[in-house]
Amino acid sequence: MRQPSAPPFNAPAARRLRAALGMGPEHVAYGLRASYGLPYVTPDLVIAWERGVAAPSNPELTALAGVLWCSPGELLGRPQTLREHRIARAVAPEDVAHAVGMDLRAYLRTEESGQWKGNERQSAALARILDLALPDFVAVTGREAKLAELLHSAVTTRWQAYVRPVRKLAPVDPGVLEGVLQELHQDYQGHMAATLSWGGGSRSASQSGQEFLDRIVENFWTAVEKRT
């Protein structure tokens, strides 16, 4: 089975946390060797992590968090996948599997594939145990690509027809959702019209409009946040 990629390591955070404790790289390396059974860790390796030249593995990340008196999540960038969110919350896969009522092997296959197939009850349990905000929940359950597709259609055609389909993927308050879709539709149409009026021609308008669409999911969540 292919090994999953390592979670995003926040090198500047590791450096700041070490400095705040008044520790040098050699102290961190010693702690990892003496307390966590990682005999190969040297000050040079710690410096490489802090410079972003290398990234710690999962066991190394957990050990580093112990030495720096922080949670593993404090040493991560913004999690993107289900596995990264679990690691950021320092939750064992067994605990997640138990919470959602899933066999451990089945849950681990879900992390590996990135495809969440849980029912509504299991999805709610997943969101609770990993403390997932709605945008993160949509992303880790593999719904973001479909959401982008629906939003693309909503802003380029009649947004009213996409309120219900979008809400099935992202259960936002209906009133908020209607306002957001209307706003995005107007922004996109106005952006296209303004670009054309500048004399750029259809090619320029198409490129500018595509840039808007490329950020459609980000724009969507930003607009939702402003209204809630």
Side-chain angles (χ1 to χ4, degrees), residues 188-209:
Y188 174 73
Q189 300 298 331
H191 187 67
M192 292 287 286
T195 306
L196 284 169
S197 71
W198 295 336
S202 60
R203 181 178 179 182
S204 177
S206 177
Q207 179 181 353
S208 185

Side-chain angles (χ1 to χ4, degrees), residues 151 155 180 183-184 187 209 211-226:
L151 292 173
V155 302
V180 166
E183 175 187 333
L184 292 177
D187 285 350
E211 291 173 356
F212 181 89
L213 295 176
D214 288 343
R215 300 190 305 273
I216 192 62
V217 173
E218 177 186 347
N219 293 338
F220 172 75
W221 290 122
T222 298
V224 169
E225 184 177 359
K226 285 193 300 184

Side-chain angles (χ1 to χ4, degrees), residues 160-173:
Q160 295 91 337
Y162 291 90
V163 174
R164 185 172 296 179
V166 169
R167 192 163 188 268
K168 285 184 178 180
L169 294 181
V172 177
D173 176 84

Side-chain angles (χ1 to χ4, degrees), residues 117-135:
K117 297 181 180 179
N119 57 34
E120 186 173 344
R121 180 192 63 78
Q122 290 174 314
S123 297
L126 181 72
R128 281 196 302 272
I129 192 169
L130 296 183
D131 192 24
L132 296 173
L134 185 54

Side-chain angles (χ1 to χ4, degrees), residues 6 13-14 18 27 34 76 89-90 94 109 119 139 146 153 161 226:
R18 175 180 60 74
H27 300 126
L76 295 175
R89 299 294 189 277
E94 294 84 355
R109 286 196 296 270
N119 57 34
K146 182 62 177 178
S153 298
K226 285 193 300 184

Side-chain angles (χ1 to χ4, degrees), residues 7-10 58 61-66 70-77 86-91:
F9 180 64
N10 191 334
N58 289 341
L61 179 71
T62 301
L64 181 61
C70 67
S71 70
E74 293 177 78
L75 296 174
L76 295 175
R86 176 179 62 75
I87 292 173
R89 299 294 189 277
V91 180

